[in-house]
């Protein structure tokens, strides 16, 4: 009896201590979520300045090489899109896989265009070999699709194709890269929308002031 009565207050004290800890944990406020760096005003200003510079280079046209041959000119809309993506990758400062992949793809494309200018036209045999290689790759891809793949792995594979440079990453790294890439694209849309509105306002102002200037300088005979 004595041992039972002496252990009861100790159990009550321990139970009260657990209740206080649970109450303190429930009352403790959650840490505020840190905003994405792409949602800050500073990142928006940095990207907007880089975007303006990239669009100026697109409007100036391609620069000629030392041999006098100009690089192949992509369509204007595609060139603007490529310049906007390249400016986004530069604003990321190479911190992510997707930004490094965008910059590397630009370099590879320029190098391939340079090699294509130096290389002689492909012979019929080389074209036949290229067609055979494409056909074998297509058959290998069809055979690979026949194997059973878990649904999550299939979705991760598709997501890795959508985000530049993320085809061979682990799933947690892929999710982190995707989150950062989506936030960067949202900031890109906001910056390009603001730029388009500003250019539209300037164009409307200049077009509305042009008739007045012409009528004031014109005097009837």
């Amino acid at each position: 009896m004595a041992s039972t009565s002496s252990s009861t207050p100790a159990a009550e004290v321990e139970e009260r201590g657990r209740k206080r800890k649970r109450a303190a944990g429930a009352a403790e406020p959650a840490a505020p979520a840190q905003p994405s760096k792409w949602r800050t005003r500073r990142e928006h200003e940095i990207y907007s300045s880089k975007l303006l510079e990239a669009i100026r280079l697109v409007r100036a046209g391609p620069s000629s090489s030392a041999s006098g041959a100009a690089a192949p000119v992509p369509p204007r809309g595609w060139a603007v899109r490529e310049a906007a993506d390249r400016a986004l990758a530069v604003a990321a400062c190479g911190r992510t896989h997707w930004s490094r992949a965008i910059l590397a793809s630009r370099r590879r494309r320029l190098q391939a265009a340079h090699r294509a200018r130096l290389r002689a036209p492909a012979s019929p045999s080389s074209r036949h070999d290229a067609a055979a290689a494409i056909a074998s790759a297509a058959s290998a891809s069809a055979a690979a699709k026949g194997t059973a793949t878990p649904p999550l792995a299939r979705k991760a594979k598709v997501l890795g194709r959508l985000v530049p440079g993320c085809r061979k990453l682990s799933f947690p790294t892929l999710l982190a890269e995707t989150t950062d890439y989506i936030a960067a694209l949202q900031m890109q849309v906001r910056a390009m929308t603001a730029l388009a509105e500003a250019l539209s306002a300037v164009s409307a102002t200049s077009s509305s002031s042009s008739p007045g200037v012409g009528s004031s300088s014109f005097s009837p005979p």
Side-chain angles (χ1 to χ4, degrees), residues 124-146:
S125 59
S126 62
R127 290 174 186 168
H128 178 73
D129 295 340
I134 293 174
S136 62
S139 61
S141 177
K145 288 180 181 178

Side-chain angles (χ1 to χ4, degrees), residues 22-65:
R22 285 196 297 268
E28 184 179 356
Q34 296 294 329
S36 172
K37 61 178 179 293
W38 297 112
R39 294 187 175 92
T40 62
R41 183 179 182 84
R42 176 62 178 164
E43 291 290 342
H44 190 279
E45 292 174 352
I46 291 174
Y47 175 69
S48 298
S49 63
K50 294 183 182 301
L51 177 62
L52 282 174
E53 183 63 26
I55 292 178
R56 287 194 190 101
L57 294 177
V58 171
R59 289 175 61 87
S63 58
S64 298
S65 61

Side-chain angles (χ1 to χ4, degrees), residues 104-158:
S105 65
R106 167 71 175 177
R107 289 193 296 269
R108 286 194 298 267
R109 192 158 49 250
L110 292 177
Q111 292 171 359
H114 179 67
R115 287 194 297 267
R117 288 196 302 269
L118 298 178
R119 193 167 51 237
S123 60
S125 59
S126 62
R127 290 174 186 168
H128 178 73
D129 295 340
I134 293 174
S136 62
S139 61
S141 177
K145 288 180 181 178
T147 59
T149 306
L152 183 60
R154 288 198 302 268
K155 293 179 181 179
K157 190 174 182 179
V158 173

Side-chain angles (χ1 to χ4, degrees), residues 149-210:
T149 306
L152 183 60
R154 288 198 302 268
K155 293 179 181 179
K157 190 174 182 179
V158 173
L159 186 61
R161 292 195 192 103
L162 295 176
V163 183
C166 295
R167 289 176 178 266
K168 298 180 181 180
L169 298 181
S170 62
F171 190 67
T173 307
L174 175 61
L175 291 181
E177 289 280 333
T178 304
T179 302
D180 187 79
Y181 186 58
I182 290 175
L185 290 180
Q186 290 174 344
M187 189 271 299
Q188 183 189 64
V189 170
R190 292 195 301 270
M192 296 185 74
T193 302
L195 180 60
E197 292 175 353
L199 293 177
S200 299
V202 171
S203 177
T205 303
S206 61
S207 62
S208 61
S209 61
S210 295

Side-chain angles (χ1 to χ4, degrees), residues 1-12:
M1 294 294 292
S3 61
T4 304
S5 60
S6 61
S7 62
T8 302
E12 291 178 353

